């Protein structure tokens, strides 16, 4: 079945450091890919998305490129801030060929906790 | 989050008792979901609904039931709570299709079964 694998955490960085969180996926159809962020005590928020191969999603300085050849959707940010401390989830939603363009259910990775120190 | 609320936010219950969690939305979205979040597992889908009275099982549905009698409400019931059901439960909504591929999540319900 479909699945998402993301790098184990926790990840601890100093402010202004470069961030990469790796995410790879397996899917049988034509997935859309997402990154969600969860701040302490809150629900998940959509951070960015990409719906087809070679698309780049970006938001708040974060970006991720949908790489079909490597089945990857790695999250990057050039300079992290303390306020970026959170748990980040990679997710996919599959689009089977005969699904009529509708979206499948979301499948999540296990999450990566990021802590940024001043 | 705006448009979706979960209640209660926290609950402690005893093993063997029934528990119902409520998810309420004001967005008139067709699809609603219940997930549980556990350390080392991420979020796992329990049940989802694609319309009034239309529901289906997710990855971890054993021990849970759901009901949706109105578009705006999606209830999750633990018929006889067990300690393994101690978790944080999230509801999500989605309008499916069009240009909106994102889910909107509620703030979660922290359930402790003692």
């Amino acid at each position: 079945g479909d699945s998402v694998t993301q790098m184990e955490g926790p990840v601890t960085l100093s402010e202004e450091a470069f961030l990469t969180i790796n995410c790879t996926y397996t899917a049988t159809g034509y997935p859309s890919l997402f990154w969600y962020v969860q701040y302490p005590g809150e629900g998940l928020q959509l951070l960015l998305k990409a719906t087809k191969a070679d698309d780049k999603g970006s938001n708040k300085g974060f970006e991720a490129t949908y790489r079909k050849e490597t089945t990857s959707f790695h999250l990057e940010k050039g300079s992290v801030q303390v306020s970026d401390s959170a748990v980040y989830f990679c997710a996919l939603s599959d689009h089977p060929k005969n699904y009529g363009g509708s979206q499948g259910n979301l499948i999540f990775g296990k999450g990566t906790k990021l802590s940024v120190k001043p | 989050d705006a448009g979706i609320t979960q209640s209660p936010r926290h609950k402690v219950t005893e093993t063997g008792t029934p528990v119902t969690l409520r998810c309420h939305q004001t967005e008139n979205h067709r699809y609603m979901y219940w997930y549980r979040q556990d350390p080392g597992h991420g979020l796992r889908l329990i049940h989802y609904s694609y319309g009034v009275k239309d529901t289906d099982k997710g990855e971890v549905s054993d021990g849970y039931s759901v009901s949706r009698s109105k578009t705006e409400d999606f209830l999750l019931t633990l018929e006889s709570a067990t300690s393994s059901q101690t978790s944080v439960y999230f509801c999500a909504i989605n309008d499916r299709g069009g240009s909106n591929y994102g889910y909107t999540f509620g703030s979660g319900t922290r359930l402790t079964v003692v």
Side-chain angles (χ1 to χ4, degrees):
Chain A
D2 296 352
S3 66
V4 175
T5 302
Q6 61 182 105
M7 65 186 286
E8 299 278 336
V11 174
T12 302
L13 296 174
S14 297
E15 205 165 24
E16 299 184 2
F18 184 85
L19 169 71
T20 300
I21 300 178
N22 291 336
C23 172
T24 58
Y25 68 90
T26 58
T28 54
Y30 302 84
S32 294
L33 302 173
F34 307 82
W35 278 100
Y36 281 81
V37 58
Q38 183 181 32
Y39 298 103
E42 299 183 11
L44 279 71
Q45 304 172 26
L46 179 64
L47 180 60
L48 54 84
K49 66 187 182 192
T51 58
K52 62 183 186 296
D54 298 325
D55 272 0
K56 177 185 283 187
S58 61
N59 186 25
K60 299 181 181 179
F62 291 89
E63 59 182 35
T65 301
Y66 187 164
R67 302 284 189 201
K68 189 174 181 181
E69 63 275 15
T70 55
T71 61
S72 65
F73 192 56
H74 304 321
L75 181 68
E76 296 181 335
K77 187 175 186 182
S79 176
V80 294
Q81 305 300 312
V82 173
S83 58
D84 293 326
S85 297
V87 180
Y88 292 82
F89 292 92
C90 186
L92 74 80
S93 176
D94 207 351
H95 298 257
K97 238 180 174 178
N98 60 352
Y99 214 71
S102 297
Q103 178 187 0
N105 293 332
L106 273 182
I107 297 169
F108 288 89
K110 293 183 179 181
T112 302
K113 184 176 182 179
L114 170 67
S115 296
V116 181
K117 306 298 184 185
Chain B
D1 204 274
I4 178 171
T5 55
Q6 292 183 232
S7 59
R9 289 297 309 276
H10 303 272
K11 185 169 182 67
V12 179
T13 192
E14 293 186 349
T15 298
T17 60
V19 177
T20 295
L21 309 183
R22 180 181 184 237
C23 178
H24 178 78
Q25 61 144 331
T26 58
E27 304 296 322
N28 200 37
H29 283 347
R30 179 180 174 191
Y31 289 81
M32 300 185 74
Y33 308 82
W34 278 108
Y35 286 87
R36 61 177 289 174
Q37 183 179 23
D38 303 290
H41 290 278
L43 275 81
R44 292 178 292 175
L45 182 64
I46 305 172
H47 281 279
Y48 67 99
S49 170
Y50 46 97
V52 174
K53 298 191 189 315
D54 292 323
T55 64
D56 205 351
K57 296 179 180 180
E59 177 188 358
V60 290
S61 60
D62 287 349
Y64 302 93
S65 63
V66 290
S67 66
R68 189 158 178 213
S69 58
K70 300 184 289 185
T71 298
E72 57 266 34
D73 289 326
F74 192 34
L75 305 180
L76 177 70
T77 297
L78 291 66
E79 302 290 348
S80 178
T82 68
S83 58
S84 65
Q85 294 176 310
T86 292
S87 186
V88 181
Y89 291 87
F90 287 98
C91 178
I93 60 176
N94 177 257
D95 66 0
R96 286 280 182 108
S99 60
N100 180 8
Y101 289 93
Y103 284 32
T104 301
F105 282 82
S107 299
T109 295
R110 183 173 294 276
L111 177 68
T112 303
V113 183
V114 299

